[in-house]
């Protein structure tokens, strides 16, 4: 026995690698499960494991009286179900699901893989995250497990198998959630797992991706700093250097690796559920970073529909609503079903062990509840039904207080439930109607975030994110639906449904996508190419043959290089003067970030930079247009900080303007068209805001007749027909 232990210790690395390879070799990636959602799902997360049976029944009866028809359950309950290795106690969950079924309420079960039971880390502390100094994460923290450790993966597989076999055919269960809010650690430079199992998985990922060390050295152009490696084992997990920063290309790769490792785990969980007999659709609960991996190819293999968390602020922050609606568009289109899920949103105060944001007003709450549905969500779940008294968030709001009595804002829950009971099916059956699309993907957003061109000294400013979100939101403010497409989805059979395509991808390595855009323009479409497109490879390495090389065949314009004239004294004097499309000048934004455009054959200059005469940019092209068949391709070499970007988008969308809106809306107001020719308009602010309509309309919700010139009240929602 002693000899066996020594052999195991000596070959532990080999043993773990072999075990992990066996586990993942059993995966057989299946097709997406059809997502059938016959009604709008409105409800809560609930934690019945600490309630008595009488309290559970009271809670369900009360929620049913508020027209709640859906509950997420078991999302953090691994330790309450598998109480010891292989020992499962399903009774409390089965009782709750049975009671839900009696009331015709539907459930989503969680696989809990982000929060393993304490006995696992106590028995096997080697599965915990390891920090750079060699210390281990505390086992009572969430997400502090090494997701690539074979012992953890095997434990997840065992638990998910048991859960799937036990409840995969329960009549109340219609959906499964993998993990919970899994993405924040992926992109947090302060949260890197140096567990030996993760180091091995990182090395194996590099080997699989690059095949040879020479290819790796070439792709990352490591010759430029004399950093060529001799074997993949020498490529350590990124860490901070003595100069205080990471090597950006390596950090980009590590974020890609971490994302794929997570998604491989999700694919394993999905296939485990399917093998256990689960037929229902599967999702997860992303948070809301710009680098949301919702459109990653492996995310589409793991999930049938996208879901994520959004917790609102009671303050007026138009940038926040601009950001979240951009993510709505990403999520709605990620699985090609024009639907997404809002799995967590707030009720009551926002807090942890102290309260940091109070509850809003009734009007604000109602706007919060309808906003995701306006953009295509078919689910709205609150966190939480019954309130935590311990752990990380004992002060967070819930529909009940600590004594399991209902909070005063339960009346708002009833009102929202009544709204969705009346209008939910209409929303589900008449999704967002999109006449425009923008091209983006996970790798582009990751590179844009890691290499924020034009940031100047402000490390918290990400110009590309602001530019893309402002552009997308201009469509929302014009009442024009806009879809998100990856380059792989950019094929002419898909593009035929649109009139305008906006290209935003800093990584663009798909020549077929460019060919499809050319055909789209030939057939009468308009293509708008923003700055910061096609600059870098997916590793973050800058292109050596000029930026926009692929796109230049489409636009007729190459970007030879870029400049940054960000001195505060110069910014007011940096303008672009238009001689076509627009009649005025634009103030150059992004802290003075410019592209040096080289128009070629067929490209016409439609704007020129107007800067001090001594400046190198003075009189250089700022924007070009190329007529392609019946359509056109516009290339911007800058992005305005004034309203001329909105004016340009208004100009190129004249043929697809909203049926109801006369002008572009205020920055606090958004409008989303539906396939039944209606439009939902939301005032996200505490201000009264004028809105001008082309003609009189009726508010579907109240049947109120609306005049052409009207004022939207604070947080008002109108559904025009």
């Amino acid at each position: 026995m002693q000899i066996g232990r020594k052999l195991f210790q000596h070959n532990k690395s080999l043993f773990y690698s072999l075990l992990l390879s066996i586990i993942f070799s059993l995966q057989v990636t299946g097709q997406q499960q059809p997502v059938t959602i016959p009604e709008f799902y409105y409800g809560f997360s609930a934690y019945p494991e600490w309630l008595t049976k009488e309290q559970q029944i009271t809670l369900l009866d009360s929620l049913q009286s508020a027209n709640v028809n859906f509950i997420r359950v078991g999302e953090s309950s691994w330790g309450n179900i598998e109480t010891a290795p292989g020992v499962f106690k399903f009774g409390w969950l089965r009782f709750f699901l049975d009671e839900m079924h009696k009331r015709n309420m539907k459930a989503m079960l969680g696989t809990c893989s982000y929060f393993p039971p304490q006995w696992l880390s106590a028995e096997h502390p080697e599965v915990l995250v390891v920090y750079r100094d060699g210390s281990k994460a505390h086992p009572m923290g969430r997400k502090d497990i090494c997701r690539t450790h074979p012992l953890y993966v095997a434990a997840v597989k065992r638990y998910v198998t048991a859960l799937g076999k036990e409840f995969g055919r329960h009549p109340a269960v219609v959906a499964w959630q993998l993990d919970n809010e899994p993405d924040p650690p992926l992109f947090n430079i302060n949260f890197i797992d140096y567990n030996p199992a993760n180091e091995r998985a990182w090395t194996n990922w590099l080997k699989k991706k690059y095949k040879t060390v020479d290819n790796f050295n070439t792709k990352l152009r490591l010759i430029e700093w004399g950093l060529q490696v001799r074997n993949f084992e020498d490529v350590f997990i990124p860490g901070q250097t003595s100069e205080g920063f990471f090597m950006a290309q390596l950090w980009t790769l590590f974020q890609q690796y971490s994302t794929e490792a997570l998604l491989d785990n999700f694919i394993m969980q999905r296939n485990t559920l399917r093998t256990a007999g689960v037929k229902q659709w599967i999702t997860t609960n992303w948070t809301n970073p710009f680098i949301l991996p919702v459109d990653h190819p492996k995310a589409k293999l793991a999930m049938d529909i996208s879901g994520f968390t959004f917790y609102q602020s009671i303050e007026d922050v138009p940038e926040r609503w601009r950001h979240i609606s951009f993510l709505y568009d990403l999520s709605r289109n990620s699985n090609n079903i024009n639907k997404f899920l809002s799995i967590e949103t707030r009720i009551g105060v926002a807090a942890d062990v102290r309260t940091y944001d109070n509850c809003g007003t009734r009007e604000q709450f109602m706007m919060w509840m309808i906003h995701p549905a306006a953009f295509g969500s078919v689910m709205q779940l609150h966190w939480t039904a019954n309130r935590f008294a311990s752990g990380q968030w004992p002060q967070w709001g819930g529909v009940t207080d600590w004594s399991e009595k209902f909070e005063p804002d339960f009346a708002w829950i009833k009102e929202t439930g009544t709204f969705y009971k009346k209008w939910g099916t209409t929303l589900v059956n008449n999704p967002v109607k999109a006449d425009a699309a923008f091209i983006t993907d996970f790798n582009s957003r990751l590179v844009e975030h890691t290499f924020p061109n034009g940031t100047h000294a402000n490390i918290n400013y990400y110009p590309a994110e602001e530019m893309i979100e402002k552009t997308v939101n201009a469509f929302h403010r014009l009442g024009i639906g806009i879809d998100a497409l990856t380059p792989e989805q950019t094929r002419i059979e898909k593009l035929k449904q649109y009139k305008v395509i906006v290209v935003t991808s800093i990584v663009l390595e798909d020549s077929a996508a460019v060919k499809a855009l050319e055909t789209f323009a030939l057939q009468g479409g308009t293509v708008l190419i923003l700055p910061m497109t096609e600059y870098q490879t997916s590793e973050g390495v800058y292109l050596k043959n000029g930026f926009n090389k692929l796109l230049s065949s489409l636009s007729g314009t190459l970007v030879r290089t870029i400049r940054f004239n960000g001195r505060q004294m110069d910014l007011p004097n940096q303008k672009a003067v238009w001689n076509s499309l627009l009649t005025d000048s634009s103030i150059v934004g992004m802290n003075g970030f410019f592209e040096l455009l080289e128009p070629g054959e067929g490209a016409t200059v439609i704007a020129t930079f107007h800067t001090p005469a001594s400046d190198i940019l003075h009189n250089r092209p700022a924007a070009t247009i190329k007529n392609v068949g019946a359509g056109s391709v516009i290339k911007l070499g800058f992005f305005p900080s004034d309203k001329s970007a909105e004016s340009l988008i208004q100009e190129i969308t004249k043929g697809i303007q909203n049926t109801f809106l006369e002008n572009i809306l205020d920055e606090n107001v958004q409008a989303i068209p539906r396939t039944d020719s209606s439009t939902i308009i939301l005032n996200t602010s505490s201000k009264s805001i004028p809105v001008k309509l082309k003609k009189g309309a009726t508010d579907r919700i109240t049947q109120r007749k609306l005049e052409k010139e009207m004022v939207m009240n604070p947080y008002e929602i109108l559904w025009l027909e």
Side-chain angles (χ1 to χ4, degrees):
M1 180 65 73
Q2 199 65 25
I3 294 173
R5 283 195 184 125
K6 287 182 179 179
L7 284 172
F8 172 74
Q9 291 295 328
H10 181 71
N11 295 293
K12 186 159 60 172
S13 175
L14 178 62
F15 171 77
Y16 283 158
S17 296
L18 180 62
L19 179 58
L20 192 60
S21 67
I22 291 171
I23 290 169
F24 282 101
S25 70
L26 297 175
Q27 299 178 19
V28 181
T29 303
Q31 298 294 315
Q32 281 189 351
Q33 188 78 0
V35 177
T36 302
I37 300 181
E39 57 184 331
F40 193 95
Y41 289 139
Y42 178 63
F44 290 83
S45 295
Y47 303 89
E49 53 263 53
W50 69 72
L51 301 179
T52 66
K53 289 184 176 180
E54 292 74 18
Q55 287 173 326
Q56 292 179 43
I57 290 170
T58 299
L59 178 66
L60 289 174
D61 286 344
S62 299
L63 294 178
Q64 187 180 33
S65 73
N67 290 314
V68 166
N69 61 0
F70 199 95
I71 294 177
R72 181 182 70 159
V73 64
E75 148 267 328
S76 298
S77 305
W78 186 349
N80 291 325
I81 291 176
E82 189 177 9
T83 57
V87 178
F88 299 97
K89 295 185 177 180
F90 296 118
W92 64 266
L93 182 54
R94 178 165 291 281
F95 175 83
F96 193 73
L97 291 173
D98 288 347
E99 290 296 318
M100 286 182 63
H101 180 57
K102 291 177 186 177
R103 295 160 178 79
N104 198 30
M105 301 170 85
K106 303 304 180 185
M108 174 190 291
L109 289 190
T111 64
C112 318
S113 53
Y114 78 111
F115 206 171
Q118 294 301 299
W119 54 256
L120 177 61
S121 51
E123 189 171 324
H124 296 286
E126 65 269 28
V127 303
L128 292 170
V129 164
V130 176
Y131 300 121
R132 197 177 183 199
D133 64 1
S135 62
K136 288 185 171 67
H138 195 281
M140 287 189 173
R142 304 193 319 161
K143 307 175 188 175
D144 284 330
I145 208 82
C146 175
R147 289 182 180 272
T148 54
H149 199 290
L151 293 178
Y152 161 76
V153 174
V156 171
K157 189 176 179 68
R158 178 182 63 211
Y159 177 69
V160 171
T161 297
L163 203 65
K165 287 182 177 179
E166 187 72 17
F167 297 111
R169 293 176 177 81
H170 194 285
V173 178
V174 299
W176 293 75
Q177 178 187 308
L178 308 179
D179 212 82
N180 185 59
E181 298 181 353
D183 45 310
L186 300 177
F187 316 114
N188 187 344
I189 217 162
N190 298 310
F191 185 95
I192 296 178
D193 183 10
Y194 295 94
N195 189 298
N198 206 38
E199 291 178 333
R200 289 189 293 272
W202 159 245
T203 300
N204 290 335
W205 182 83
L206 290 172
K207 289 178 179 178
K208 183 177 180 181
K209 181 177 177 68
Y210 292 102
K211 305 295 191 294
T212 68
V213 171
D214 286 346
N215 188 39
F216 174 78
N217 287 330
T218 300
K219 289 277 189 179
L220 268 71
R221 294 191 64 86
L222 296 181
I223 192 173
E224 294 188 1
W225 289 89
L227 293 173
Q228 302 98 314
V229 297
R230 294 180 298 175
N231 54 71
F232 286 110
E233 285 75 13
D234 290 343
V235 186
F236 301 125
I237 287 177
Q240 197 169 31
T241 68
S242 60
E243 294 181 292
F245 52 82
F246 287 17
M247 179 184 172
Q249 277 82 14
L250 203 58
W251 175 232
T252 300
L253 278 185
F254 187 74
Q255 291 173 93
Q256 291 172 352
Y257 152 72
S258 299
T259 302
E260 288 195 27
L262 172 72
L263 293 172
D264 282 340
N265 183 279
F266 283 4
I267 292 170
M268 178 275 291
Q269 291 189 48
R270 175 195 178 91
N271 292 329
T272 299
L273 287 171
R274 295 288 183 243
T275 302
V278 168
K279 304 293 185 184
Q280 301 96 336
W281 45 266
I282 294 170
T283 188
T284 194
N285 190 23
W286 302 110
T287 60
N288 43 69
F290 179 76
I291 325 173
L292 189 72
V294 69
D295 54 352
H296 191 290
K298 287 191 173 183
K300 298 177 184 182
L301 296 176
M303 271 77 71
D304 303 305
I305 186 171
S306 297
F308 68 103
T309 290
F310 177 47
Y311 288 109
Q312 307 85 347
S313 169
I314 64 166
E315 304 298 333
D316 288 349
V317 187
E319 296 83 5
R320 181 71 171 146
W321 293 103
R322 183 178 74 204
H323 171 72
I324 200 64
S325 56
F326 166 81
L327 297 180
Y328 288 159
D329 292 329
L330 277 183
S331 298
R332 190 181 70 246
N333 290 278
S334 59
N335 292 85
N336 297 314
I337 58 175
N338 207 18
K339 296 178 176 69
F340 70 97
L341 310 173
S342 180
I343 295 179
E344 283 189 37
T345 193
R346 62 183 282 191
I347 175 71
V349 300
D352 42 42
V353 295
R354 81 265 188 244
T355 300
Y356 52 79
D357 196 11
N358 59 290
C359 184
T361 64
R362 171 200 163 271
E363 291 76 16
Q364 188 174 33
F365 178 82
M366 293 302 295
M367 185 275 292
W368 288 353
M369 294 306 100
I370 296 172
H371 191 270
F375 280 86
S377 176
V378 291
M379 173 184 287
Q380 183 79 314
L381 303 185
H382 296 279
W383 198 77
T384 172
N386 49 320
R387 199 164 184 168
F388 284 81
S390 180
Q392 289 93 335
W393 292 282
Q395 284 281 352
W396 193 279
V399 70
T400 58
D401 61 25
W402 292 283
S403 64
E404 308 300 339
K405 305 297 182 183
F406 283 97
E407 292 275 5
D409 44 18
F410 184 58
W412 302 352
I413 298 298
K414 287 186 174 181
E415 190 173 358
T416 310
T418 299
F419 173 86
Y420 280 124
K421 184 175 179 61
K422 182 175 182 179
W423 297 111
T425 303
T426 304
L427 289 165
V428 170
N429 293 338
N430 297 281
V432 173
K433 179 182 183 295
D435 288 308
F438 65 100
I439 299 174
T440 182
D441 68 338
F442 169 73
N443 278 335
S444 280
R445 295 192 302 279
L446 177 59
V447 173
E448 283 161 340
H449 194 81
T450 309
F451 297 84
N453 292 293
T455 53
H456 199 39
N458 184 354
I459 61 172
N460 294 317
Y461 176 51
Y462 296 93
E465 298 181 21
E466 180 183 58
M467 173 185 66
I468 294 167
E469 291 180 1
K470 279 185 173 179
T471 300
V472 171
N473 197 53
F475 286 85
H476 299 153
R477 292 166 59 199
L478 286 164
I480 298 171
I482 184 166
D483 284 344
L485 304 179
T486 63
E488 293 74 23
Q489 292 174 309
T490 305
R491 300 296 183 261
I492 189 58
E493 58 272 12
K494 177 73 173 176
L495 301 187
K496 286 179 180 178
Q497 63 184 290
Y498 306 114
K499 303 295 191 299
V500 175
I501 304 291
V502 182
V503 184
T504 72
S505 298
I506 199 167
V507 177
L508 186 60
E509 301 167 319
D510 190 335
S511 58
V514 178
K515 185 64 178 176
L517 288 169
E518 182 180 8
T519 304
F520 170 76
L522 282 167
Q523 296 175 353
T526 300
V527 179
L528 174 63
I529 303 174
L530 298 183
M532 302 188 195
T533 51
E534 199 191 340
Y535 277 18
Q536 290 158 276
T537 68
S538 57
E539 288 89 355
V541 174
Y542 284 88
L543 302 180
K544 298 289 285 186
N545 57 353
F547 304 148
N548 281 231
K549 187 68 173 179
L550 278 176
L551 288 168
S552 64
S553 64
L554 177 66
S555 67
T557 300
L558 186 70
V559 179
R560 176 56 61 197
T561 187
I562 57 178
R563 285 295 176 103
F564 177 55
N565 289 359
R567 293 192 307 178
Q568 288 300 118
M569 62 181 288
D570 295 330
L571 293 180
N573 299 319
Q574 295 175 353
K575 295 183 179 180
V577 178
W578 295 85
N579 57 44
S580 181
L581 290 181
L582 302 182
T583 58
D584 207 346
S585 62
S586 298
I587 299 173
V588 174
M590 293 194 293
N591 278 347
F593 177 87
F594 303 82
E595 294 180 335
L596 273 71
L597 304 181
E598 289 190 1
E601 186 177 352
T604 302
V605 176
I606 57 174
T608 54
F609 290 121
H610 185 83
T611 60
S614 60
D615 192 283
I616 196 171
L617 292 164
H618 186 59
N619 284 334
R620 286 183 178 269
T624 65
I625 190 169
K626 181 180 177 182
N627 294 321
V628 181
S632 60
V633 180
I634 301 162
K635 173 71 184 91
L636 295 184
F638 73 105
F639 192 78
S641 62
D642 57 17
K643 295 184 178 181
S644 54
E646 303 164 5
S647 300
L648 177 62
I649 292 170
Q650 280 184 282
E651 182 66 25
I652 66 177
T653 57
K654 279 184 175 178
I656 53 173
Q657 289 181 356
N658 187 274
T659 305
F660 300 99
L661 301 181
E662 181 67 33
N663 299 316
I664 192 166
L665 297 167
D666 179 87
E667 66 172 353
N668 293 286
V669 184
Q670 298 173 314
I672 310 92
R674 314 292 293 202
T675 55
D676 62 354
S677 300
S678 65
T679 294
I680 301 175
I681 306 180
L682 303 105
N683 180 359
T684 64
S685 77
S686 60
K687 305 169 186 174
S688 296
I689 298 177
V691 172
K692 184 177 287 188
L693 304 178
K694 291 178 179 176
K695 57 184 179 181
T698 301
D699 175 28
R700 178 178 284 179
I701 301 171
T702 63
Q703 290 302 301
R704 178 164 60 99
K705 302 298 181 183
L706 305 171
E707 301 295 329
K708 290 175 63 176
E709 294 194 10
M710 53 166 293
V711 175
M712 287 193 76
N713 296 321
Y715 311 117
E716 188 171 14
I717 308 148
L718 299 173
W719 194 347
L720 304 185
E721 61 178 8

